[in-house]
Amino acid sequence: MTEPNLACPPGVRLYVSDMAHARAVRELWDTEARVPRDLPVEDWPDYGRAWLTAQTVKVDLLLFLHDLWMKTWGEAFQEHLPGHRLLREGELADRGVDDGSIVDAFAWVVGGDNLTNRALFITVLTPQGDVIQSSVNLDDAHGVILWAGSKMLDSGTPSDAWTASELGGWVTAPLAVIKSDGVRLDRLSEAASVLASRLSS
């Protein structure tokens, strides 16, 4: 049984709970590791700590989205598609994943200059050789959205939680919101399980 909540790592908790820190993180998110030319010398240590905090948030976000995928999609696939395998990035093109959609997994999470619309994509190979692409996504209000795409999902709505995505596959509305103490998993887990169950039939 999935735990009701997934706790946030420190960097994600800081970002979602403190607007001042969130603003500072956004300003330093994609900034190179160098001291601004007009920064007074006495402020260099504080700037360095602030820059490092922004980079730590990137790593914590990757860890959080990975844990979130494992607690939702990972557990659903384990239950309904035992024997599945998670594909490495280098295997995607060979398995027919569209080249245009193959972007480095880390870049999806940490690229860009803010924390909105982050996504972690993981592709699954079923024991029958079918490919399922899946993701956990964050919107600009820290809502968590699930997405899945597969040739096995080409018709019929899996359940009320799912709608057809403009980009192909199926997508949910935000089913949970990340707060400072973490995120509830019940609705996310249920939606992932429903779709994985359909893929197994």
Side-chain angles (χ1 to χ4, degrees), residues 167-201:
L167 302 176
W170 298 93
V171 67
T172 67
L175 295 177
V177 176
I178 301 170
K179 300 188 177 178
S180 59
D181 60 346
V183 62
R184 289 193 58 82
L185 297 174
D186 47 357
R187 293 180 66 207
L188 292 163
S189 296
E190 180 182 356
S193 181
V194 164
L195 193 137
S197 173
R198 176 176 166 180
L199 289 167
S200 69
S201 58

Side-chain angles (χ1 to χ4, degrees), residues 68-83:
L68 191 52
W69 189 95
M70 289 294 183
K71 289 285 190 179
T72 55
W73 286 123
E75 291 188 6
F77 292 143
Q78 188 66 38
E79 178 183 355
H80 298 288
L81 295 166

Side-chain angles (χ1 to χ4, degrees), residues 35-36 38-44:
V35 174
D38 58 350
L39 188 70
V41 172
E42 57 269 21
D43 292 338
W44 289 2

